[in-house]
Each structure stands twice: as structure tokens, then as C-alpha cells.
Amino acid sequence: MTNGRDHRIDFFRGLALIFIFWDHVPANPFAQLTLRNFGFSDAAEVFVFLAGYAAVLAYGRVAQRDGYVVACLRILRRTWVLYVAHIFLLTLLMGIVFVANNHVETRDMVREMGLEYFVGNPQQALADELLLRFKPNLTDPLPLYILLMGALPLILPILLRNAALAIGLSIALYLMVPLLGWNLRAYEGGGYWYFNPVAWQLIFVLGGAFALHTQRAPIAKNPIRPIWQQPLFLVAAAYLLMAGVITVLWKFPDVHNALLPTALAELIYPISKTDLSPVRLLHFLALAYVVAKMLPTSLYWLDNWPVQQTCRMGRYSLEIFCLGVLLAPLADMANALADDAWQMRVITALLGLGLMLLLSNWLELNKRLGSPKAARMVEV
């Protein structure tokens, strides 16, 4: 942790943004390397968990230092920034998709991106866009983030006073999804939110609670047992291994159906991303626990160039996420125009990653040039 910022969080958030971009490009060969290929959860859980971690860590300090009212004002200001970014993102995305659709004759990219509603009813679609009800494909995480940040002034004081109570209330709300089917409606005829905020708020709250735990955790006086002697670690690792095997077997349906016991299949399926199925939730929690346990205690691993660049992307997560959303249909268009040749798929995946790196470095440079120290140097 440097200057009050945990660069490990930046690293994993940057990694999640890379995975999200690669997952958003159809038939992208690098998408075979992302989390969704090795377990029940994917980069979305990582993104939401770390969003909760970073938000509670940052605004919790503000609340303790400057008071709850100041923290609320800053949270609402950040929420407004996210909302404005969402509106601009949708505008740019629709323009890109319409241009791409005019050039790609073999596919209907407007339909694939979920923009038929806008084409058929533009006035109502714009109104629903402002109300976060109309969300074309690829944009769903941002409205969820906006809603969770908007609710943070209600969550934060409970977390700061009694994290266990906050988690208990969050779990109770999560249980309303399987018990009562709670979710928010999308636009008329558009069903419900793809990321059910009633369910996904639990990941956000757990991230915030973990942030507070890491700040308050006492330094262990007794020697810590090796991880292979810790029962919880072994259980979590075994669950990850089982989930990984099952996920790999999805590519071989006949083998999957032959090997997976019927009772186990009935227990875990269907695995809903929308409602954050328990097996997805448990998989992510197991993954987070195992990774946290296996991370080196020293921070030297953060000093190499690829990790630093990934951290930089995580530091500017909003801008990088928006760029990734815009690059995905452009990459898809380029791939389609090249008859989906594997060489073009590789080029677009790496070029998109390069542009994300370029933007993060430009933002970092711009921030440094705008700092008071840099301003004084320019004046001299």
C-alpha cells in the first residue's frame, strides 16, 4: 500500500477490466484465458467486489475524518460522475454500433447489441436510458455500479458501526431473490435487469466489509500455519478445483453428462449470472480467499512493468471500462470484415489492450502534469 492506496486492488481491478473486454468480443481467442473458463464466476464478480472494497475504503476514511455528511456529498458527486459517464457511453456506443452495422453485411449488430428498442421507439428509449432502464448489451455493469454507489450512504454507516450486521442485512436482501423473485424491471417488454441489484449488492457489501477487516485486522503474534494445513483453505481450493473441472467439461457435453451425477447437476444448475446463483457466489468467495492467502506478503511483485501497467488500468477503472465497451463492437466489426480470420482476432484483441494501456498512461501523465508540484515546476 502506497500513499494510502492499495495497488494490489488496482492490479486485480485492471486484470478484471482486461478480462471483461476480451469476454465482450465474440470468438476472441484470448477470451479462453479469462476466469469464466475455469469456474462458475467471472470478472464481473471481481469488478463489483473491488468496487465495494475501494468505495468503502475511500469514503469510510472520509466519514471518519470529515464526518458523514461530507462523505455522503462526495459519494453522491461520484455517483453523478458515473451517471453522466453512462449517458455519454450509451450515446457513443449506439453511434459505433450503427456505423458498424452499415459495414457488416453478414450480421445484424443492432439486434445483437440489443438496440432494436431504440430503433423502434427512440423517444421512449431515451427516457428509459435516463432512468437506467434501457441498457444495451455490454453496458449493464455501469448502471449496477451507479445504483450501488447511490445506496452507499445508507450502507456505509452500518458497515462502519457493525460490519456483521451489514452483512446479515445484505444476505437477507439477497435471499429475497430466490424466495420472492425480487429484481428491478427494465423498459417495457425488456424484462428485468441483467445484473439483479438485489442479488449483486451482496458482493458489493462483502467487498466493503473486507476492506474494513483488512484495516482493522490485528497483527498475528503466533506463527501462521502453512496454507496446506489450514482446513478452510483446503476446502476452498477443493471447491475451485471441482468447479474448474465442471466448467471445462461444459465444452464436452457428452462427457459432462456421463460423469456428472444427476443429484449434483440438479443441485448446481441452473447457474444464473443475473441472480448471482449461490454456486457462483461461493465460487467467487473461494477464489478471493485462496488468492488472498497465496499472495506474497511482500509487495515486490508489484514492481515489474506488466503488473504496473495493469495497476494503472485499475486505477482509472471507469475510463478504461468505458473504452473497453466502445472497443468491443469495433473489434467485432473488424473481425467480421476480415471473415473472422484468427489473425485478425488476435490483432484486435491485442490492439484493444494496447489502447486501454495507452489511455491509462495518458490519464496518469495528465494527472501528474496537473499536480501542484508539476505546476510549480512549469512556473519555474
Side-chain angles (χ1 to χ4, degrees), residues 90 93-94 97-98 101 107-121 125 128-129 133-140 186-190 329 332:
L90 282 185
L93 180 65
M94 287 190 289
V97 172
F98 289 140
N101 197 59
R107 289 161 47 197
D108 185 355
M109 297 190 69
V110 171
R111 181 186 58 79
E112 292 176 8
M113 291 296 295
L115 291 174
E116 315 101 300
Y117 178 61
F118 177 80
V119 174
N121 196 352
D128 288 331
E129 175 186 331
R133 298 176 61 187
F134 174 54
K135 301 177 292 297
N137 295 342
L138 311 185
T139 64
D140 297 276
Y187 60 89
E188 185 175 354
D332 191 17

Side-chain angles (χ1 to χ4, degrees), residues 41-109:
S41 61
D42 59 26
E45 281 89 349
V46 179
F47 186 80
V48 175
F49 180 84
L50 295 181
Y53 183 103
V56 171
L57 191 65
Y59 297 110
R61 288 173 179 167
V62 174
Q64 293 170 342
R65 184 184 66 241
D66 302 324
Y68 175 69
V69 174
V70 175
C72 285
L73 291 175
R74 293 194 179 183
I75 291 170
L76 294 176
R77 183 176 64 182
R78 178 61 176 174
T79 305
W80 174 251
V81 170
L82 294 171
Y83 178 78
V84 172
H86 171 66
I87 300 302
F88 275 98
L89 175 63
L90 282 185
T91 303
L92 292 173
L93 180 65
M94 287 190 289
I96 289 173
V97 172
F98 289 140
V99 170
N101 197 59
N102 288 334
H103 289 81
V104 178
E105 299 179 354
T106 56
R107 289 161 47 197
D108 185 355
M109 297 190 69

Side-chain angles (χ1 to χ4, degrees), residues 337-348:
L337 292 176
D339 296 325
D340 287 319
W342 69 267
Q343 297 93 333
M344 180 57 72
R345 294 176 184 174
V346 171
I347 290 172
T348 54

Side-chain angles (χ1 to χ4, degrees), residues 208-239:
F210 183 67
L212 295 177
H213 173 74
T214 57
Q215 295 298 300
R216 299 169 179 172
I219 300 175
K221 297 181 180 180
N222 299 323
I224 300 176
R225 289 182 297 172
I227 55 176
W228 59 84
Q229 296 180 7
Q230 300 178 27
L232 185 57
F233 176 86
L234 295 177
V235 171
Y239 183 74

Side-chain angles (χ1 to χ4, degrees), residues 42-357:
D42 59 26
E45 281 89 349
V46 179
F47 186 80
V48 175
F49 180 84
L50 295 181
Y53 183 103
V56 171
L57 191 65
Y59 297 110
R61 288 173 179 167
V62 174
Q64 293 170 342
R65 184 184 66 241
D66 302 324
Y68 175 69
V69 174
V70 175
C72 285
L73 291 175
R74 293 194 179 183
I75 291 170
L76 294 176
R77 183 176 64 182
R78 178 61 176 174
T79 305
W80 174 251
V81 170
L82 294 171
Y83 178 78
V84 172
H86 171 66
I87 300 302
F88 275 98
L89 175 63
L90 282 185
T91 303
L92 292 173
L93 180 65
M94 287 190 289
I96 289 173
V97 172
F98 289 140
V99 170
N101 197 59
N102 288 334
H103 289 81
V104 178
E105 299 179 354
T106 56
R107 289 161 47 197
D108 185 355
M109 297 190 69
V110 171
R111 181 186 58 79
E112 292 176 8
M113 291 296 295
L115 291 174
E116 315 101 300
Y117 178 61
F118 177 80
V119 174
N121 196 352
Q123 292 183 344
Q124 186 60 45
L126 288 174
D128 288 331
E129 175 186 331
L130 296 174
L131 296 173
L132 303 181
R133 298 176 61 187
F134 174 54
K135 301 177 292 297
N137 295 342
L138 311 185
T139 64
D140 297 276
L142 199 48
L144 173 67
Y145 190 18
I146 293 169
L147 200 64
L148 294 175
M149 284 296 295
L152 187 57
L154 301 177
I155 301 170
L156 186 60
I158 305 175
L159 269 173
L160 292 176
R161 286 177 173 81
N162 192 331
L165 175 61
I167 294 173
L169 293 173
S170 181
I171 292 174
L173 186 59
Y174 169 80
L175 291 176
M176 294 300 102
V177 176
L179 295 177
L180 301 177
W182 285 10
N183 195 351
L184 295 183
R185 278 197 169 276
Y187 60 89
E188 185 175 354
Y192 296 87
W193 281 44
Y194 180 71
F195 287 101
N196 184 350
V198 183
W200 282 79
Q201 53 78 28
L202 178 56
I203 290 280
F204 187 82
V205 171
L206 289 174
F210 183 67
L212 295 177
H213 173 74
T214 57
Q215 295 298 300
R216 299 169 179 172
I219 300 175
K221 297 181 180 180
N222 299 323
I224 300 176
R225 289 182 297 172
I227 55 176
W228 59 84
Q229 296 180 7
Q230 300 178 27
L232 185 57
F233 176 86
L234 295 177
V235 171
Y239 183 74
L240 292 179
L241 179 61
M242 180 197 71
V245 171
I246 293 175
T247 305
V248 171
L249 289 178
W250 289 346
K251 300 177 182 179
F252 310 97
D254 293 336
V255 179
H256 171 275
N257 296 335
L259 295 181
L260 196 67
T262 303
L264 181 59
E266 292 176 352
L267 179 65
I268 66 175
Y269 296 128
I271 302 176
S272 171
K273 184 173 184 176
T274 293
D275 293 331
L276 190 61
S277 291
V279 292
R280 281 187 70 106
L281 176 62
L282 289 175
H283 180 267
F284 169 74
L285 294 178
L287 179 64
Y289 182 79
V290 168
V291 170
K293 283 290 185 180
M294 296 185 68
L295 271 182
T297 54
S298 68
L299 300 180
Y300 291 117
W301 64 278
L302 293 169
D303 294 336
N304 64 76
W305 188 85
V307 172
Q308 288 179 343
Q309 295 302 310
T310 306
C311 290
R312 192 160 290 168
M313 284 192 288
R315 196 172 305 139
Y316 301 100
S317 57
L318 174 60
E319 295 88 346
I320 299 303
F321 171 79
C322 292
L323 178 62
V325 169
L326 297 176
L327 289 175
L330 288 173
D332 191 17
M333 178 186 70
N335 294 341
L337 292 176
D339 296 325
D340 287 319
W342 69 267
Q343 297 93 333
M344 180 57 72
R345 294 176 184 174
V346 171
I347 290 172
T348 54
L350 294 179
L351 181 59
L353 175 58
L355 291 173
M356 292 163 68
L357 286 170

Side-chain angles (χ1 to χ4, degrees), residues 33-47:
L33 305 175
T34 62
L35 285 178
R36 67 179 182 179
N37 298 282
F38 305 101
F40 300 143
S41 61
D42 59 26
E45 281 89 349
V46 179
F47 186 80

